[in-house]
């Protein structure tokens, strides 16, 4: 049986935006969503939206738009969030605590099932309702709780070691919040969330729009 068709990353990123937009409008009682409305949300042209959504099959009707609830279900199926993903969070620092406390993750199909840390001063404490477990328990946690995703929220110097431990424990994907590129792509898919890079891109965009300084005199 042929494998699932690979969706290009730029398309996948826009599908994620379309999913949120369709879910928002469906929640507000809107039955149909147009390609123009999706394009406005994603910063894409109508033609690009139609091309992206073509990977879902023939869901849209010219002049009518896309069924909002049907689109939500179809995009969830393509992205893979039609099923619930259980995740283990490694790192109980500021970022880790914020992620663990973000309750809407469960609404989007992602469930943090356990929190681990290697610092003796942190292990045993309660974070967002979870008792922080030692790193030594990682293989057992992944196996017993059917963990699919590992989330890394540790300092840069510890990130690769944690990633290797997650791969060895059997996770299927890694979300990395540490400012360190990980060497895991040949073993499991990984996505880096680089706050610093995002801020630098924002600073560049702002500076490009800044007015030229006026001359003196």
């Amino acid at each position: 049986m042929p494998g699932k068709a690979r969706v290009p990353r730029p398309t996948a990123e826009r599908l994620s935006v379309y999913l949120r937009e369709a879910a928002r409008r469906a929640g507000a009682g809107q039955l149909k969503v147009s390609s123009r409305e999706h394009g406005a949300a994603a910063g894409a042209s109508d033609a690009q939206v139609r091309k992206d959504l073509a990977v879902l099959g023939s869901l849209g009707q010219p002049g009518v738009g896309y069924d909002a609830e049907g689109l939500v279900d179809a995009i969830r199926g393509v992205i893979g969030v039609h099923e619930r993903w259980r995740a283990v969070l490694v790192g109980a620092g500021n970022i880790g605590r914020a992620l663990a406390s973000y309750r809407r993750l469960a609404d989007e199909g992602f469930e943090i099932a356990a929190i681990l840390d290697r610092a003796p001063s942190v292990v045993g404490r309660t974070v967002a309702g979870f008792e922080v477990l030692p790193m030594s328990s990682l293989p057992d946690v992944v196996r017993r709780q059917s963990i699919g995703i590992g989330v890394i929220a540790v300092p840069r110097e510890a990130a690769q070691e944690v990633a290797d431990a997650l791969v060895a424990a059997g996770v299927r994907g890694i979300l990395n919040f540490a400012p360190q590129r990980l060497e895991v792509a040949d073993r499991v898919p990984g996505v880096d969330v680089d706050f610093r890079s995002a801020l630098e891109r924002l600073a560049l965009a702002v500076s490009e729009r800044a007015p030229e300084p006026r001359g003196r005199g």
Side-chain angles (χ1 to χ4, degrees), residues 88-155:
V88 59
L89 171 63
V90 181
N94 293 334
I95 293 177
R97 291 195 299 271
L99 290 170
S101 300
Y102 186 56
R103 299 304 181 188
R104 288 197 62 185
L105 280 176
D107 297 336
E108 301 299 330
F110 298 93
E111 177 188 356
I112 292 179
I115 303 176
L116 281 67
D117 202 290
R118 68 177 183 179
S121 60
V122 177
V123 172
R125 292 187 177 183
T126 300
V127 172
F130 294 93
E131 179 184 351
V132 179
L133 303 175
M135 283 297 295
S136 59
S137 64
L138 178 60
D140 186 54
V141 168
V142 171
R143 177 175 50 82
R144 284 191 302 105
Q145 302 206 41
S146 301
I147 301 295
I149 294 175
V151 181
I152 297 177
V154 300

Side-chain angles (χ1 to χ4, degrees), residues 15 18 22 31-35 38 49-50 52-78:
L15 284 175
Y18 304 153
L31 299 180
K32 299 290 183 179
V33 188
S34 69
S35 56
H38 280 305
V49 171
R50 289 191 290 270
D52 291 338
L53 296 181
V55 303
L56 308 176
S58 302
L59 295 180
Q61 301 178 28
V64 177
Y66 299 85
D67 177 77
E69 291 187 355
L71 199 56
V72 169
D73 291 340
I75 296 177
R76 281 183 170 274
V78 168

